[in-house]
Amino acid sequence: MPRVKRGTKRRASRSKTLDRASGYFLTKGKLHRAAQEAVERALRFAYVGRRQKKRDFRALWIVRIGAGCRAAGISYSKFINGLKKAGITLDRKVLAEVAANDEAAFQLIVDRAKAALEAPK
């Protein structure tokens, strides 16, 4: 099997790692081994964070919708149930935006949801 010295490839790989680690504290930004460990750890946190961001935003939207619902005199769960019965298919992101920025429009949506809840089956 031929001997491989990896000169330029190794240098490029290490340079890429050190570029990613620039600004890290002490040796983590300067020495390859420490930088490699720090970068791998950071990339793991970034991967997890991209998934947590989706959960966090959904929770924020639910809090905003719940606040708008309480101001309109209905609970969040009854509001969502009424929306489903009324056939309104707005997602939570849009509902949160409307609840935060347009109280009149949100009140109309709440009224439609309440009407759907009170309608006979």
Side-chain angles (χ1 to χ4, degrees), residues 9-121:
K9 300 256 191 241
R10 174 171 292 174
R11 208 170 320 115
S13 172
R14 290 180 177 217
S15 174
K16 184 171 143 185
T17 299
L18 287 170
D19 284 343
R20 282 182 164 173
S22 74
Y24 286 10
F25 190 67
L26 293 177
T27 59
K28 290 189 188 109
K30 293 174 181 57
L31 303 181
H32 177 258
R33 174 67 53 87
Q36 180 72 29
E37 291 169 0
V39 166
E40 285 176 2
R41 178 179 161 90
L43 290 173
R44 278 197 304 271
F45 279 120
Y47 179 84
V48 169
R50 286 193 298 273
R51 273 122 197 96
Q52 285 176 340
K53 182 169 72 168
K54 294 163 182 59
R55 295 177 221 158
D56 292 342
F57 268 105
R58 184 177 171 92
L60 175 66
W61 298 331
I62 289 171
V63 166
R64 287 181 176 170
I65 295 167
C69 289
R70 280 192 302 278
I74 188 172
S75 72
Y76 171 82
S77 59
K78 286 183 181 174
F79 173 68
I80 293 296
N81 188 22
L83 286 181
K84 288 184 180 165
K85 287 183 178 176
I88 299 172
T89 57
L90 293 174
D91 63 0
R92 284 164 179 80
K93 181 178 179 180
V94 173
L95 286 170
E97 184 69 26
V98 172
N101 297 324
D102 192 358
E103 293 177 27
F106 190 72
Q107 187 61 47
L108 289 172
I109 296 170
V110 168
D111 293 340
R112 299 261 309 265
K114 283 181 179 178
L117 285 172
E118 294 167 359
K121 293 180 182 178

